[in-house]
Amino acid sequence: MALKTGKEYLQSVRDLGLEAHMLGEKRGDLDQHGLVKPSQQAVAFTYDAAHQPEIQGLFRVESPLCKQEVNRFTHLHQSSEDLVNKVRMQRYCGAGTACCFQRCVGMDAANAIFSTTYECDRKHGTDYHGRFRDYWSWIQMNDLVVDGAMTDPKGDRGKRPKDQVDPDLFLRVKARRPGGVVISGAKLHQTGMLNSHEMLVMPTLTMRPGEEAWAVCCAVPTNDPGVRYIYGRQTSDTRKLEARNLDVGNVTFGGQEVMTVFEDVFVPNERVFLDGEVDFSGVLVERFASYHRQSYGGCKVGVGDALIGATALMARMNGVEGASHIKDKIVEMIHLNETIYACGLACSATGQATPSGNFLVNLLLANVCKLNVTRFPYELARLATEIAGGLLGTMPSAADLDDPVAGPYIRKYLQANPSFDVVDRMKVMRLIENLVAGAGSVGYLIESMHGAGPPTAQRIMIGRQADLESKIVRVKNMLEIS
Ligand code: SF4
Ligand code: FE
């Protein structure tokens, strides 16, 4: 099948007939809903890019799995160059949408599951890898969006999955039926779930002996009748429902987060890729997390590009772009953003082949990348807030522009550099607001902190991967300390 266009993708998601609880009501017409539409358009961007002559080379890649040209968002990385191109592609999408475009989670899950199932089969004699190859080949050929469902609700953080008051607080195999398993539980923070055709369910942490029921990885169609969705709120989200949408900031694109509940969902065996092999649950978690930490070295940099562009334009609109302290702050923003990108490229360029053949990022550098992402976007946002000025928090609404009394006052008193239109200045101000304090800040800031795991998770991995002992030994040898 040919690579889908954005339009074809939107139709294919519509055809799934998904329903969700949103703002107090159950809605089925998701593609018509003001909160959902921008998030679908952001995913559609990843499809359209594969058809644009100037960039399609980055998005199209020959898959050795299905032997066809596929969208890189479904690709299993075959080289460190593939890993680098993934990050370049994500930066392009982040800069073009100024939001989370939601399609990376499934790509990262697939690459983690591909190598983990291969190694699990070799150790335990299971047949997960072959099943996954067949499944993913079908995904590639149909150019589908797959969400990665990892984060369990976790309940009492001081207790293991089996010791929770409710065993569903970690998604589990609740029962077995001929030909498959029945899963029960929930996954929180599901980026782009309602814009996906499929989801890959994975354990949220390393399971121990006795926790086999929670060591499950499988694929579920998003329109399975046992799956329920509750839409996540974002700051200022209802501005998207207003008639004059200038106040939204990013009118065209946006992110999406969903709570997903699994009410006794039957999963046939051919869609099960881990079922009780606790010793591979941690491997899967670690690899998925590291791929997604690499991803942030692309997507957040792209959104950073949009924020830097908007901030520099605002400085120009305010008539201060020549001031040395402004120039210095813009350079600081660029420096921070490119530092994240450098980490994203570095963990990709030094990636290694796994025994299954696909490539895994450098785990240490991917975690360094993500740890920087938990900090630098906040500093970029702080600098953008400073440069934009206090109007960022006090600007009248777009609706007042139409008022015969208020409108002229707004146009008179919000003018700055006469080369620019007042309403254009308001648009740029709202985009900056969107990214530093509005709906876009969920993707740019909160997700930078917690997406792919919070900073402590990266610190643990950095501590594990750094081989501190060899550094100590080298110093001891240099100083002739026995
Ligand atoms: Fe992709 Fe970034 Fe969104 Fe994750 S946060 S899905 S890496 S755009
Ligand atoms: Fe994310």
Side-chain angles (χ1 to χ4, degrees):
M1 179 185 273
L3 291 166
K4 284 191 175 77
T5 61
K7 207 170 153 207
E8 288 165 340
Y9 154 72
L10 291 170
Q11 183 58 49
S12 70
V13 169
R14 202 170 298 137
D15 292 344
L16 295 172
L18 300 177
E19 294 181 332
H21 295 268
M22 302 177 67
L23 303 176
E25 52 180 355
K26 194 168 180 187
R27 299 289 295 252
D29 55 343
L30 298 179
D31 61 306
Q32 301 304 319
H33 200 291
L35 292 194
V36 182
K37 217 171 183 175
S39 71
Q40 292 198 334
Q41 283 166 186
V43 183
F45 184 96
T46 69
Y47 282 91
D48 281 333
H51 295 275
Q52 284 154 1
E54 69 282 7
I55 197 71
Q56 66 182 32
L58 187 57
F59 283 74
R60 290 176 177 232
V61 58
E62 198 66 31
S63 166
L65 185 67
C66 71
K67 315 266 185 300
Q68 286 183 18
E69 193 176 49
V70 299
N71 190 306
R72 189 178 292 283
F73 275 100
T74 68
H75 189 45
L76 298 166
H77 318 300
Q78 299 300 304
S79 61
S80 50
E81 191 188 351
D82 268 350
L83 290 167
V84 167
N85 283 335
K86 172 196 163 189
V87 171
R88 290 174 58 218
M89 172 180 78
Q90 289 167 312
R91 182 173 189 169
Y92 178 85
C93 293
T97 61
C99 71
C100 165
F101 39 89
Q102 308 146 56
R103 206 178 168 186
C104 325
V105 199
M107 163 176 57
D108 291 341
N111 276 278
I113 295 169
F114 189 82
S115 60
T116 305
T117 50
Y118 182 87
E119 289 161 41
C120 181
D121 286 359
R122 285 218 301 202
K123 183 171 174 196
H124 293 293
T126 44
D127 60 350
Y128 299 137
H129 189 67
R131 291 178 189 176
F132 188 72
R133 290 180 77 96
D134 291 346
Y135 171 73
W136 200 255
S137 185
W138 172 73
I139 295 290
Q140 288 187 331
M141 286 192 288
N142 289 282
D143 201 8
L144 301 179
V145 179
V146 182
D147 203 0
M150 174 166 272
T151 311
D152 289 315
K154 298 198 279 282
D156 182 340
R157 270 57 174 175
K159 291 190 172 136
R160 297 293 304 177
K162 65 178 171 37
D163 301 323
Q164 298 288 334
V165 285
D166 184 336
D168 286 346
L169 286 167
F170 286 78
L171 185 139
R172 66 189 170 124
V173 172
K174 187 178 173 184
R176 293 182 184 278
R177 289 204 200 125
V181 297
V182 176
I183 58 171
S184 178
K187 294 288 182 182
L188 305 188
H189 327 311
Q190 291 308 294
T191 300
M193 183 60 93
L194 291 165
N195 297 333
S196 302
H197 306 91
E198 288 274 320
M199 66 178 100
L200 283 166
V201 174
M202 296 167 282
T204 210
L205 47 79
T206 303
M207 297 300 166
R208 298 174 185 165
E211 295 172 340
E212 285 75 11
W214 291 272
V216 59
C217 171
C218 59
V220 176
T222 49
N223 61 356
D224 186 289
V227 182
R228 318 233 188 286
Y229 302 106
I230 307 165
Y231 211 76
R233 290 217 72 168
Q234 299 186 336
T235 321
S236 311
D237 52 3
T238 45
R239 287 192 193 183
K240 293 176 187 174
L241 307 175
E242 293 171 7
R244 282 286 298 252
N245 56 14
L246 185 154
D247 289 350
V248 175
N250 188 350
V251 174
T252 313
F253 302 111
Q256 177 191 99
E257 300 295 338
V258 179
M259 177 193 285
T260 304
V261 179
F262 302 77
E263 196 66 57
D264 295 343
V265 173
F266 177 74
V267 185
N269 282 336
E270 61 269 22
R271 282 174 163 260
V272 176
F273 312 122
L274 192 75
D275 182 10
E277 293 77 11
V278 286
D279 50 341
F280 282 91
S281 57
V283 177
L284 183 54
V285 173
E286 189 175 286
R287 288 185 189 172
F288 167 74
S290 295
Y291 278 122
H292 209 54
R293 289 167 193 172
Q294 169 214 22
S295 285
Y296 281 28
C299 80
K300 301 304 177 211
V301 180
V303 180
D305 287 333
L307 183 60
I308 292 168
T311 306
L313 180 56
M314 182 51 63
R316 189 172 294 172
M317 288 174 153
N318 287 348
V320 294
E321 73 169 327
S324 62
H325 72 100
I326 297 287
K327 284 198 238 168
D328 194 46
K329 281 164 194 154
I330 299 278
V331 167
E332 177 67 7
M333 292 175 78
I334 296 167
H335 168 72
L336 291 167
N337 207 39
E338 299 299 337
T339 302
I340 299 173
Y341 190 48
C343 292
L345 293 179
C347 71
S348 305
T350 54
Q352 300 274 335
T354 67
S356 68
N358 74 338
F359 267 61
L360 178 63
V361 291
N362 177 318
L363 299 183
L364 173 60
L365 295 181
N367 281 278
V368 170
C369 176
K370 173 64 200 342
L371 191 57
N372 282 339
V373 172
T374 65
R375 298 172 178 164
F376 296 177
Y378 285 85
E379 183 60 13
L380 275 138
R382 192 184 75 79
L383 290 163
T385 304
E386 183 183 349
I387 293 170
L391 195 59
L392 202 55
T394 64
M395 196 164 71
S397 81
D400 289 322
L401 279 168
D402 300 332
D403 185 89
V405 177
Y409 284 137
I410 294 171
R411 289 172 203 276
K412 177 178 164 76
Y413 289 113
L414 292 193
Q415 61 181 323
N417 181 342
S419 309
F420 292 95
D421 178 72
V422 170
V423 176
D424 286 346
R425 182 168 175 249
M426 291 174 75
K427 280 187 194 167
V428 179
M429 194 67 88
R430 287 292 181 209
L431 176 60
I432 296 172
E433 183 202 26
N434 170 280
L435 288 170
V436 305
S441 70
V442 173
Y444 188 54
L445 299 179
I446 299 175
E447 198 169 348
S448 286
M449 181 65 74
H450 289 289
T456 304
Q458 285 106 64
R459 287 179 183 283
I460 291 169
M461 281 288 285
I462 288 169
R464 252 193 237 151
Q465 295 286 330
D467 192 10
L468 194 57
E469 216 43 51
S470 76
K471 298 184 203 303
I472 292 171
V473 168
R474 247 177 269 133
V475 170
K476 281 167 82 177
N477 289 345
M478 194 172 72
L479 301 178
E480 297 179 359
I481 297 170
S482 62

